[in-house]
Amino acid sequence: MNAYPTIRLLPRKEESLLRFHPWIFSGAIASVEGEVYDGALVNILSSQGRELGVGHYGGGSIAIRMLRFGSLEPITEDYWRERLLSALHVRHAAGLIRPQAAEAERNDVYRLVHGEGDSLPGLIVDIYGSTAVVQAHSLGMHHARHEIAQALMEVYAQPLELAPALEAVYYKSEGTLPTRLERELSEDGFLIGHTENEPIWEQGIRFIPDWIRGQKTGFFIDQRDNRYLVEHYAAGRRVLNAFCYTGGFSLYALRGGAERVDSLDSSAKAMYLVDQHVRLNFGEQCPRHRSITQDAFAFLDQMPEQEYDLIILDPPAFAKHRKVLKNALIGYRKINTQAFRKVARGGLIFTFSCSQAVSREEFRLAVFTAAAASGRHVRILHQLTQPVDHPVSIYHPEGEYLKGLVLQVD
C-alpha cells in the first residue's frame, strides 16, 4: 500500500478502467480523500472500495491518466525502468535499431515511448542516435522528468545489446503541457549530459533533427514507413511534396529515382532545412530538386494541370480539438480537391491527416467528397497509418491519430 491521496469514483464509473482504458474523466469522480494537486500520484477506488490502480491527477476534463491497473503498488524507480525496458524490447524486436547496419539500411532514430500505446500516458520519448528527447503532455510526467531521465540512462546502459548507450537526455515540453501556466513553469534543456544536433540515419538517409527549435521533438518520425512507400512509387515521376517541412518525403522520392522533386512549404526556415538535407544526401548540386517557399493552397490553385504525377499532401494538424473539426474538414476537402483536379492522368496522391480530432471515417469522407468534386475516377491503393514505434493500445483507440491514403487518379 502507498500513501497517495485517494480518488473514489461514482457508481458504475469503474467499467472503463476494468476494460483498461487509461483515462478517467472529471465527471466520474465522487470524492477526493487527501490533498491532491495537478500532477500528483493518486490511488483509484470504485464506489464499493475496490482497488482500481494508480494514476496521475490532472485538473482538466481528463482528470486522471492511469499508470497501473488493479494494484495500489507505488510508482518507484523500478516502475520506470520496467516500462522503458519493455518499450525498448518492442523496438528491438521490430528491427528498428540498426546503427551498425550497411549504410543503405542504417537506422538510429525511433520513438521509444508513445504515450498510452506504451502504457505511459502523457509521455513521449524519441531517440536520435545517442540522445533521448523526452516530452511531457501531462503535469504528472513533467514532475517525473528527472526520474524518467535517470531510468533511460540506466536502461540503455545495461549490457543487453539492444541499443547503443545514451549520452544525453533532453527535455522539450514548453509547447506541450496542458495549460499556459504549466508551459511557463516548464523549461526545456538537457536533464543529463549534452549533445549537438548531429546527423542521424533513417533507413539509410541522413537528417539533422533540431530538438531545441524544431517542431515536435525535432523530427517527424511517424512518417518513416510512408516515406519508404513513396520511394517505391517515385521512379520516373514528377513529384510535388506539399507541406514538406524538413523534406523527408522529398529525399525518399529522390533516392527512389524521381525525375524531379519540388518541395513546397510556406516556411523559409523549413526550406533551409530541406536544402540542407538534400545537400547532405545528394551533394551540393541536385538538379532534380527544387525548393519552393509558398502557401500550399495558393500554389496548388495556380499550378498548371498535369504538372505532377505524384503529389504528397501532409499538412499540419488542421484540428487539434473537436471544436474546430468543421473547419478542418473543409481544409482537407479543399486541398485534396485541388490535387485531384491537377494531378496528371494515372498519377498518385499520398494524402494524410495527423489530427487526432479527425476520425479515420471523417477523413476518408472528406477525401471522397474531394474526389467526387473533381469528377475523376479515383481508386485506393493503400490505407496508411502510423508505424510500429507509435503503437496503439487496443483499449485506447484514440491513440490512432495518423491516417493516410494512397490514391490513383485516372
Short mmCIF file of all heavy atoms in Angstrom, two decimals, residues 213-261:
data_model
loop_
_atom_site.label_atom_id
_atom_site.label_comp_id
_atom_site.label_asym_id
_atom_site.label_seq_id
_atom_site.Cartn_x
_atom_site.Cartn_y
_atom_site.Cartn_z
N ARG A 213 14.88 23.77 -31.43
CA ARG A 213 13.98 24.73 -32.08
C ARG A 213 12.94 24.08 -32.99
O ARG A 213 12.00 24.74 -33.43
CB ARG A 213 14.79 25.73 -32.90
CG ARG A 213 15.64 26.67 -32.06
CD ARG A 213 16.59 27.49 -32.92
NE ARG A 213 17.58 26.63 -33.57
CZ ARG A 213 18.73 26.28 -33.02
NH1 ARG A 213 19.04 26.73 -31.81
NH2 ARG A 213 19.58 25.49 -33.65
N GLY A 214 13.10 22.80 -33.30
CA GLY A 214 12.23 22.15 -34.27
C GLY A 214 10.86 21.81 -33.71
O GLY A 214 10.60 21.88 -32.50
N GLN A 215 9.95 21.42 -34.62
CA GLN A 215 8.62 21.00 -34.22
C GLN A 215 8.66 19.63 -33.57
O GLN A 215 9.58 18.85 -33.77
CB GLN A 215 7.68 20.99 -35.43
CG GLN A 215 7.48 22.35 -36.07
CD GLN A 215 6.52 22.30 -37.23
OE1 GLN A 215 5.56 21.54 -37.23
NE2 GLN A 215 6.76 23.13 -38.24
N LYS A 216 7.61 19.32 -32.79
CA LYS A 216 7.52 18.07 -32.05
C LYS A 216 8.82 17.89 -31.25
O LYS A 216 9.25 18.79 -30.55
CB LYS A 216 7.23 16.89 -32.98
CG LYS A 216 5.84 16.96 -33.61
CD LYS A 216 5.45 15.66 -34.26
CE LYS A 216 4.01 15.70 -34.76
NZ LYS A 216 3.59 14.44 -35.37
N THR A 217 9.47 16.74 -31.35
CA THR A 217 10.73 16.55 -30.63
C THR A 217 11.93 16.85 -31.51
O THR A 217 13.06 16.61 -31.12
CB THR A 217 10.85 15.10 -30.11
OG1 THR A 217 10.90 14.20 -31.23
CG2 THR A 217 9.70 14.74 -29.20
N GLY A 218 11.70 17.38 -32.70
CA GLY A 218 12.79 17.73 -33.59
C GLY A 218 12.72 17.10 -34.95
O GLY A 218 13.46 17.48 -35.87
N PHE A 219 11.81 16.13 -35.13
CA PHE A 219 11.72 15.42 -36.40
C PHE A 219 10.38 14.68 -36.42
O PHE A 219 9.82 14.38 -35.36
CB PHE A 219 12.88 14.43 -36.54
CG PHE A 219 12.99 13.75 -37.87
CD1 PHE A 219 13.19 14.48 -39.04
CD2 PHE A 219 12.89 12.37 -37.98
CE1 PHE A 219 13.29 13.86 -40.27
CE2 PHE A 219 13.00 11.74 -39.20
CZ PHE A 219 13.20 12.49 -40.35
N PHE A 220 9.87 14.40 -37.62
CA PHE A 220 8.60 13.68 -37.76
C PHE A 220 8.89 12.20 -38.02
O PHE A 220 8.93 11.75 -39.17
CB PHE A 220 7.77 14.30 -38.89
CG PHE A 220 7.16 15.62 -38.53
CD1 PHE A 220 7.92 16.78 -38.50
CD2 PHE A 220 5.82 15.71 -38.17
CE1 PHE A 220 7.37 17.99 -38.15
CE2 PHE A 220 5.26 16.93 -37.81
CZ PHE A 220 6.04 18.07 -37.80
N ILE A 221 9.05 11.46 -36.94
CA ILE A 221 9.40 10.04 -37.04
C ILE A 221 8.24 9.22 -37.57
O ILE A 221 8.43 8.18 -38.22
CB ILE A 221 9.84 9.51 -35.66
CG1 ILE A 221 11.06 10.30 -35.16
CG2 ILE A 221 10.14 8.03 -35.70
CD1 ILE A 221 11.46 9.94 -33.73
N ASP A 222 7.01 9.69 -37.35
CA ASP A 222 5.84 8.85 -37.61
C ASP A 222 5.59 8.56 -39.09
O ASP A 222 4.81 7.67 -39.42
CB ASP A 222 4.59 9.45 -36.98
CG ASP A 222 4.31 10.88 -37.41
OD1 ASP A 222 5.07 11.43 -38.24
OD2 ASP A 222 3.33 11.46 -36.91
N GLN A 223 6.24 9.27 -40.01
CA GLN A 223 6.01 9.04 -41.44
C GLN A 223 7.08 8.15 -42.06
O GLN A 223 7.12 8.01 -43.28
CB GLN A 223 5.96 10.37 -42.19
CG GLN A 223 4.70 11.20 -41.92
CD GLN A 223 3.49 10.65 -42.65
OE1 GLN A 223 3.43 9.48 -43.02
NE2 GLN A 223 2.50 11.51 -42.89
N ARG A 224 7.91 7.51 -41.28
CA ARG A 224 9.03 6.72 -41.81
C ARG A 224 8.55 5.67 -42.82
O ARG A 224 9.06 5.59 -43.95
CB ARG A 224 9.77 6.03 -40.65
CG ARG A 224 10.92 5.13 -41.10
CD ARG A 224 11.54 4.39 -39.91
NE ARG A 224 10.52 3.61 -39.20
CZ ARG A 224 10.13 3.87 -37.97
NH1 ARG A 224 10.64 4.88 -37.29
NH2 ARG A 224 9.21 3.12 -37.40
N ASP A 225 7.60 4.84 -42.45
CA ASP A 225 7.15 3.77 -43.35
C ASP A 225 6.48 4.35 -44.60
O ASP A 225 6.63 3.80 -45.70
CB ASP A 225 6.16 2.85 -42.63
CG ASP A 225 6.80 2.04 -41.53
OD1 ASP A 225 8.05 2.11 -41.39
OD2 ASP A 225 6.07 1.36 -40.79
N ASN A 226 5.77 5.44 -44.43
CA ASN A 226 5.07 6.05 -45.57
C ASN A 226 6.05 6.75 -46.51
O ASN A 226 5.83 6.78 -47.73
CB ASN A 226 4.00 7.01 -45.06
CG ASN A 226 2.98 6.29 -44.18
OD1 ASN A 226 2.68 5.12 -44.41
ND2 ASN A 226 2.46 6.98 -43.18
N ARG A 227 7.13 7.29 -45.97
CA ARG A 227 8.19 7.83 -46.82
C ARG A 227 8.80 6.73 -47.67
O ARG A 227 9.10 6.92 -48.87
CB ARG A 227 9.27 8.52 -45.97
CG ARG A 227 8.81 9.83 -45.37
CD ARG A 227 9.98 10.59 -44.76
NE ARG A 227 10.34 10.15 -43.44
CZ ARG A 227 9.95 10.74 -42.31
NH1 ARG A 227 9.14 11.78 -42.35
NH2 ARG A 227 10.37 10.30 -41.14
N TYR A 228 9.00 5.57 -47.05
CA TYR A 228 9.58 4.44 -47.78
C TYR A 228 8.66 4.00 -48.91
O TYR A 228 9.12 3.59 -49.99
CB TYR A 228 9.83 3.30 -46.80
CG TYR A 228 10.70 2.19 -47.34
CD1 TYR A 228 12.07 2.39 -47.51
CD2 TYR A 228 10.17 0.94 -47.66
CE1 TYR A 228 12.88 1.38 -47.99
CE2 TYR A 228 10.97 -0.07 -48.14
CZ TYR A 228 12.33 0.15 -48.31
OH TYR A 228 13.12 -0.86 -48.79
N LEU A 229 7.35 4.08 -48.70
CA LEU A 229 6.40 3.71 -49.75
C LEU A 229 6.45 4.71 -50.91
O LEU A 229 6.33 4.32 -52.08
CB LEU A 229 4.99 3.64 -49.17
CG LEU A 229 3.90 3.10 -50.10
CD1 LEU A 229 4.20 1.67 -50.53
CD2 LEU A 229 2.53 3.16 -49.41
N VAL A 230 6.63 6.00 -50.60
CA VAL A 230 6.82 6.99 -51.66
C VAL A 230 8.03 6.64 -52.51
O VAL A 230 7.99 6.72 -53.75
CB VAL A 230 6.97 8.40 -51.05
CG1 VAL A 230 7.56 9.38 -52.07
CG2 VAL A 230 5.63 8.92 -50.55
N GLU A 231 9.10 6.23 -51.88
CA GLU A 231 10.30 5.82 -52.63
C GLU A 231 9.97 4.69 -53.60
O GLU A 231 10.45 4.68 -54.74
CB GLU A 231 11.39 5.38 -51.65
CG GLU A 231 12.66 4.90 -52.34
CD GLU A 231 13.74 4.48 -51.36
OE1 GLU A 231 13.52 4.59 -50.13
OE2 GLU A 231 14.80 4.04 -51.81
N HIS A 232 9.15 3.76 -53.18
CA HIS A 232 8.77 2.62 -54.03
C HIS A 232 8.07 3.07 -55.31
O HIS A 232 8.26 2.47 -56.37
CB HIS A 232 7.86 1.69 -53.23
CG HIS A 232 7.25 0.59 -54.02
ND1 HIS A 232 7.96 -0.54 -54.39
CD2 HIS A 232 6.00 0.43 -54.52
CE1 HIS A 232 7.17 -1.34 -55.09
NE2 HIS A 232 5.98 -0.78 -55.18
N TYR A 233 7.29 4.15 -55.22
CA TYR A 233 6.50 4.60 -56.37
C TYR A 233 7.15 5.74 -57.16
O TYR A 233 6.62 6.17 -58.18
CB TYR A 233 5.13 5.10 -55.88
CG TYR A 233 4.13 4.00 -55.61
CD1 TYR A 233 3.76 3.67 -54.32
CD2 TYR A 233 3.54 3.30 -56.67
CE1 TYR A 233 2.83 2.66 -54.07
CE2 TYR A 233 2.61 2.29 -56.43
CZ TYR A 233 2.26 1.98 -55.13
OH TYR A 233 1.34 0.98 -54.89
N ALA A 234 8.29 6.25 -56.70
CA ALA A 234 8.80 7.52 -57.22
C ALA A 234 9.50 7.43 -58.57
O ALA A 234 9.60 8.44 -59.28
CB ALA A 234 9.75 8.15 -56.20
N ALA A 235 9.99 6.28 -58.97
CA ALA A 235 10.86 6.19 -60.14
C ALA A 235 10.21 6.80 -61.38
O ALA A 235 9.08 6.45 -61.75
CB ALA A 235 11.21 4.72 -60.41
N GLY A 236 10.92 7.75 -61.98
CA GLY A 236 10.47 8.37 -63.22
C GLY A 236 9.35 9.37 -63.08
O GLY A 236 8.89 9.92 -64.09
N ARG A 237 8.91 9.65 -61.87
CA ARG A 237 7.77 10.54 -61.68
C ARG A 237 8.21 11.97 -61.35
O ARG A 237 9.29 12.21 -60.82
CB ARG A 237 6.85 10.02 -60.57
CG ARG A 237 6.16 8.71 -60.91
CD ARG A 237 5.17 8.32 -59.82
NE ARG A 237 4.52 7.04 -60.10
CZ ARG A 237 3.40 6.90 -60.78
NH1 ARG A 237 2.80 7.98 -61.29
NH2 ARG A 237 2.87 5.71 -60.99
N ARG A 238 7.29 12.90 -61.64
CA ARG A 238 7.44 14.30 -61.25
C ARG A 238 6.66 14.48 -59.94
O ARG A 238 5.45 14.31 -59.92
CB ARG A 238 6.90 15.22 -62.34
CG ARG A 238 7.64 15.10 -63.69
CD ARG A 238 6.79 15.63 -64.81
NE ARG A 238 5.61 14.79 -65.02
CZ ARG A 238 4.46 15.25 -65.53
NH1 ARG A 238 4.32 16.52 -65.86
NH2 ARG A 238 3.43 14.42 -65.68
N VAL A 239 7.39 14.81 -58.87
CA VAL A 239 6.84 14.73 -57.52
C VAL A 239 6.70 16.13 -56.93
O VAL A 239 7.63 16.95 -57.00
CB VAL A 239 7.74 13.87 -56.61
CG1 VAL A 239 7.19 13.82 -55.19
CG2 VAL A 239 7.89 12.46 -57.19
N LEU A 240 5.54 16.38 -56.33
CA LEU A 240 5.33 17.57 -55.51
C LEU A 240 5.14 17.14 -54.06
O LEU A 240 4.22 16.37 -53.75
CB LEU A 240 4.10 18.36 -55.96
CG LEU A 240 3.72 19.54 -55.06
CD1 LEU A 240 4.79 20.63 -55.10
CD2 LEU A 240 2.35 20.11 -55.44
N ASN A 241 6.00 17.62 -53.18
CA ASN A 241 5.88 17.33 -51.75
C ASN A 241 5.37 18.60 -51.06
O ASN A 241 6.14 19.50 -50.72
CB ASN A 241 7.23 16.90 -51.17
CG ASN A 241 7.17 16.59 -49.69
OD1 ASN A 241 6.09 16.42 -49.12
ND2 ASN A 241 8.32 16.52 -49.05
N ALA A 242 4.04 18.69 -50.90
CA ALA A 242 3.44 19.88 -50.29
C ALA A 242 3.49 19.78 -48.77
O ALA A 242 3.44 18.68 -48.21
CB ALA A 242 2.00 20.02 -50.76
N PHE A 243 3.58 20.92 -48.10
CA PHE A 243 3.76 20.98 -46.65
C PHE A 243 4.99 20.15 -46.26
O PHE A 243 4.94 19.32 -45.36
CB PHE A 243 2.53 20.46 -45.91
CG PHE A 243 1.23 21.07 -46.34
CD1 PHE A 243 0.41 20.41 -47.27
CD2 PHE A 243 0.80 22.28 -45.84
CE1 PHE A 243 -0.80 20.96 -47.67
CE2 PHE A 243 -0.42 22.84 -46.24
CZ PHE A 243 -1.21 22.18 -47.15
N CYS A 244 6.10 20.35 -46.95
CA CYS A 244 7.22 19.41 -46.88
C CYS A 244 7.99 19.45 -45.58
O CYS A 244 8.71 18.51 -45.26
CB CYS A 244 8.17 19.66 -48.05
SG CYS A 244 9.05 21.24 -47.95
N TYR A 245 7.91 20.52 -44.82
CA TYR A 245 8.67 20.75 -43.59
C TYR A 245 10.17 20.49 -43.86
O TYR A 245 10.77 21.24 -44.62
CB TYR A 245 8.13 19.91 -42.44
CG TYR A 245 8.77 20.24 -41.10
CD1 TYR A 245 9.02 21.56 -40.73
CD2 TYR A 245 9.13 19.23 -40.22
CE1 TYR A 245 9.62 21.87 -39.51
CE2 TYR A 245 9.73 19.54 -38.99
CZ TYR A 245 9.98 20.85 -38.65
OH TYR A 245 10.58 21.14 -37.44
N THR A 246 10.78 19.45 -43.30
CA THR A 246 12.21 19.25 -43.49
C THR A 246 12.54 18.38 -44.70
O THR A 246 13.70 18.03 -44.91
CB THR A 246 12.85 18.63 -42.23
OG1 THR A 246 12.21 17.39 -41.95
CG2 THR A 246 12.71 19.56 -41.05
N GLY A 247 11.53 18.00 -45.48
CA GLY A 247 11.79 17.34 -46.75
C GLY A 247 11.91 15.83 -46.72
O GLY A 247 12.49 15.24 -47.64
N GLY A 248 11.36 15.18 -45.69
CA GLY A 248 11.51 13.73 -45.59
C GLY A 248 11.02 12.99 -46.82
O GLY A 248 11.74 12.16 -47.39
N PHE A 249 9.80 13.26 -47.25
CA PHE A 249 9.27 12.57 -48.43
C PHE A 249 10.10 12.90 -49.67
O PHE A 249 10.29 12.05 -50.55
CB PHE A 249 7.81 12.98 -48.67
CG PHE A 249 6.82 12.31 -47.75
CD1 PHE A 249 6.21 13.03 -46.72
CD2 PHE A 249 6.49 10.97 -47.90
CE1 PHE A 249 5.29 12.42 -45.89
CE2 PHE A 249 5.57 10.35 -47.07
CZ PHE A 249 4.97 11.08 -46.05
N SER A 250 10.61 14.12 -49.76
CA SER A 250 11.39 14.52 -50.93
C SER A 250 12.66 13.69 -51.06
O SER A 250 13.02 13.25 -52.16
CB SER A 250 11.76 16.00 -50.82
OG SER A 250 10.61 16.81 -50.75
N LEU A 251 13.35 13.46 -49.96
CA LEU A 251 14.59 12.70 -50.01
C LEU A 251 14.35 11.26 -50.42
O LEU A 251 15.12 10.68 -51.20
CB LEU A 251 15.29 12.76 -48.65
CG LEU A 251 15.74 14.16 -48.21
CD1 LEU A 251 16.35 14.10 -46.83
CD2 LEU A 251 16.73 14.74 -49.20
N TYR A 252 13.30 10.66 -49.91
CA TYR A 252 12.98 9.28 -50.30
C TYR A 252 12.60 9.22 -51.78
O TYR A 252 12.95 8.27 -52.48
CB TYR A 252 11.85 8.73 -49.43
CG TYR A 252 12.30 8.20 -48.09
CD1 TYR A 252 12.56 9.06 -47.03
CD2 TYR A 252 12.47 6.83 -47.87
CE1 TYR A 252 12.97 8.58 -45.79
CE2 TYR A 252 12.87 6.34 -46.64
CZ TYR A 252 13.13 7.22 -45.61
OH TYR A 252 13.54 6.74 -44.38
N ALA A 253 11.86 10.22 -52.26
CA ALA A 253 11.49 10.24 -53.68
C ALA A 253 12.72 10.39 -54.56
O ALA A 253 12.84 9.73 -55.61
CB ALA A 253 10.51 11.38 -53.94
N LEU A 254 13.67 11.23 -54.15
CA LEU A 254 14.91 11.38 -54.91
C LEU A 254 15.69 10.08 -54.93
O LEU A 254 16.20 9.66 -55.98
CB LEU A 254 15.76 12.50 -54.30
CG LEU A 254 15.25 13.94 -54.53
CD1 LEU A 254 16.01 14.90 -53.63
CD2 LEU A 254 15.37 14.33 -56.00
N ARG A 255 15.80 9.42 -53.77
CA ARG A 255 16.51 8.14 -53.74
C ARG A 255 15.80 7.09 -54.57
O ARG A 255 16.44 6.19 -55.14
CB ARG A 255 16.67 7.65 -52.30
CG ARG A 255 17.60 6.45 -52.19
CD ARG A 255 17.92 6.08 -50.77
NE ARG A 255 16.79 5.49 -50.06
CZ ARG A 255 16.86 4.97 -48.83
NH1 ARG A 255 18.00 4.99 -48.18
NH2 ARG A 255 15.79 4.46 -48.25
N GLY A 256 14.47 7.21 -54.69
CA GLY A 256 13.71 6.25 -55.47
C GLY A 256 13.78 6.48 -56.97
O GLY A 256 13.17 5.71 -57.73
N GLY A 257 14.48 7.53 -57.41
CA GLY A 257 14.66 7.75 -58.84
C GLY A 257 13.63 8.65 -59.49
O GLY A 257 13.38 8.54 -60.70
N ALA A 258 13.04 9.57 -58.71
CA ALA A 258 12.09 10.51 -59.29
C ALA A 258 12.77 11.36 -60.37
O ALA A 258 13.94 11.72 -60.26
CB ALA A 258 11.53 11.43 -58.21
N GLU A 259 12.00 11.68 -61.42
CA GLU A 259 12.52 12.54 -62.48
C GLU A 259 12.86 13.91 -61.91
O GLU A 259 13.91 14.48 -62.20
CB GLU A 259 11.49 12.67 -63.59
CG GLU A 259 11.91 13.58 -64.73
CD GLU A 259 10.82 13.74 -65.76
OE1 GLU A 259 10.20 12.70 -66.13
OE2 GLU A 259 10.55 14.88 -66.19
N ARG A 260 11.97 14.47 -61.10
CA ARG A 260 12.24 15.70 -60.36
C ARG A 260 11.34 15.75 -59.15
O ARG A 260 10.26 15.14 -59.13
CB ARG A 260 12.06 16.94 -61.23
CG ARG A 260 10.64 17.23 -61.69
CD ARG A 260 10.62 18.49 -62.56
NE ARG A 260 9.33 18.76 -63.15
CZ ARG A 260 8.40 19.56 -62.60
NH1 ARG A 260 8.66 20.16 -61.46
NH2 ARG A 260 7.25 19.77 -63.21
N VAL A 261 11.77 16.51 -58.15
CA VAL A 261 11.03 16.64 -56.91
C VAL A 261 10.98 18.12 -56.54
O VAL A 261 12.03 18.78 -56.43
CB VAL A 261 11.68 15.85 -55.76
CG1 VAL A 261 10.90 16.06 -54.46
CG2 VAL A 261 11.76 14.37 -56.10
#
